[in-house]
Amino acid sequence: MTTIVNYDPRISLRIFEKTNDLAAYFARLLAGRVSDMHENEFFSLVLAGGSTPRTVYEYLAANCREAINWERVKIFWGDERCVAPDNTESNYKMAKESFLDYLPIPGNNIFRIRGEADPDEESKRYSEIAGTLIQADKHAVTAAGPPLFDLIMLGLGEDGHTASIFPGRPELFETDQLFVPARNPYTGQRRITITGKAINNARLKVFLVTGAAKAKIVAQYLGKKKGWESLPVSNVLPAAGEIMFLLDNDAASGLG
Ligand code: 6PG
């Protein structure tokens, strides 16, 4: 791990030589947070889609069967493509095949977004489930506002999107609904996404970003370069918790 550079005091940033080191760091972070839970509480982990999260999932499957008390972890998704769960585009399928199938996570701890359902109805159903479940766990209840997920994993697109909040949708950081229908503007693919308030209210937001293709957007956002404020990722704020960026050298190569 190279030195930590501080572009924004609200964001902790760690840069790794290899993606495997990034994945190992994330695994240790998750294990520590889960073990800090009080005995009658559960840890809410929100998964992301994308290539870097997949690498982390594969690491968790290979190395963390014993290191984490998976019975205490409830699994949610930050977004899903509106496809069947066995479709190659499905974030559920990706997570299932890269780690959920290999770890002792009780089936009733896994809360899948039904990509095959009507997006409006499913967004409401999932918002209800997530809200009720998290609210029911007293440690997650805040005086007001959306519930606190313990850890939200997030990817970062080259256009600055995160989850399925794409550029031009600032209202998704204003709505009080936890999950809403969305659309990938480049492919037209329908999505269901977590919204900004639910992201911002989480205890810990961890961005997992690797590859040279992300160097430009990382430099624009962290370096606060021209137009950075209009990027969706710029609306992710520490609000009720922390923001962490885990990068590999390639993704960090544009940082001065
Ligand atoms: C998705 C993700 C999306 C992804 C970014 C980064 O469903 O695809 O929610 O936000 O994390 O596009 O993806 P890569 O890490 O594959 O570049």
Side-chain angles (χ1 to χ4, degrees):
M1 182 164 80
T2 58
T3 49
I4 299 164
V5 287
N6 216 341
Y7 278 79
D8 181 327
R10 304 171 302 174
I11 297 173
S12 65
L13 173 61
R14 286 165 175 76
I15 302 168
F16 300 86
E17 298 286 323
K18 297 192 293 291
T19 306
N20 197 59
D21 299 337
L22 182 156
Y25 178 87
F26 180 86
R28 288 194 302 275
L29 174 73
L30 178 62
R33 298 285 171 121
V34 174
S35 69
D36 285 349
M37 303 299 296
H38 299 298
E39 73 270 7
N40 63 342
E41 292 172 343
F42 68 82
F43 190 89
S44 51
L45 174 63
V46 181
L47 305 184
S51 56
T52 307
R54 183 186 188 110
T55 308
V56 171
Y57 301 151
E58 289 164 348
Y59 184 93
L60 290 171
N63 299 281
C64 298
R65 188 177 174 81
E66 313 303 331
I68 294 175
N69 180 354
W70 293 102
E71 303 235 325
R72 309 270 311 283
V73 181
K74 285 187 166 54
I75 302 279
F76 300 85
W77 275 260
D79 68 336
E80 184 53 280
R81 290 82 179 278
C82 292
V83 296
D86 60 355
N87 185 300
T88 52
E89 279 285 300
S90 164
N91 284 340
Y92 166 77
K93 176 179 166 67
M94 185 268 276
K96 181 177 189 302
E97 292 175 353
S98 56
F99 91 117
L100 297 177
D101 281 351
Y102 304 97
L103 293 171
I105 304 175
N108 56 14
N109 277 23
I110 298 175
F111 299 90
R112 176 177 77 89
I113 297 176
R114 296 174 184 166
E116 71 278 20
D118 171 78
D120 288 302
E121 287 168 19
E122 179 58 11
S123 299
K124 292 189 181 81
R125 184 193 75 89
Y126 204 75
S127 297
E128 191 65 29
I129 285 184
T132 311
L133 263 173
I134 301 292
Q135 295 287 11
D137 179 41
K138 62 183 176 315
H139 93 288
V141 176
T142 49
L148 275 76
F149 286 108
D150 289 301
L151 194 161
I152 297 190
M153 299 171 79
L154 293 162
L156 178 65
E158 292 177 45
D159 60 356
H161 82 260
T162 192
S164 285
I165 305 179
F166 288 89
R169 298 296 311 276
E171 76 279 9
L172 296 189
F173 278 90
E174 300 305 324
T175 177
D176 287 329
Q177 188 164 328
L178 299 180
F179 290 83
V180 296
R183 198 182 283 274
N184 178 324
Y186 311 106
T187 63
Q189 185 183 56
R190 299 202 70 177
R191 304 260 182 114
I192 289 169
T193 187
I194 193 168
T195 54
K197 285 186 178 178
I199 293 174
N200 284 336
N201 228 38
R203 287 194 163 84
L204 177 58
K205 283 77 74 171
V206 181
F207 283 90
L208 305 154
V209 191
T210 57
K214 300 295 172 70
K216 188 163 177 279
I217 191 69
V218 166
Q220 181 187 5
Y221 167 62
L222 287 176
K224 294 187 168 59
K225 293 182 177 169
K226 187 170 178 297
W228 75 278
E229 303 94 330
S230 62
L231 300 173
V233 61
S234 300
N235 291 300
V236 176
L237 304 168
E242 313 158 62
I243 300 179
M244 192 178 283
F245 266 78
L246 306 184
L247 307 174
D248 71 353
N249 280 347
D250 288 340
S253 58
L255 296 176

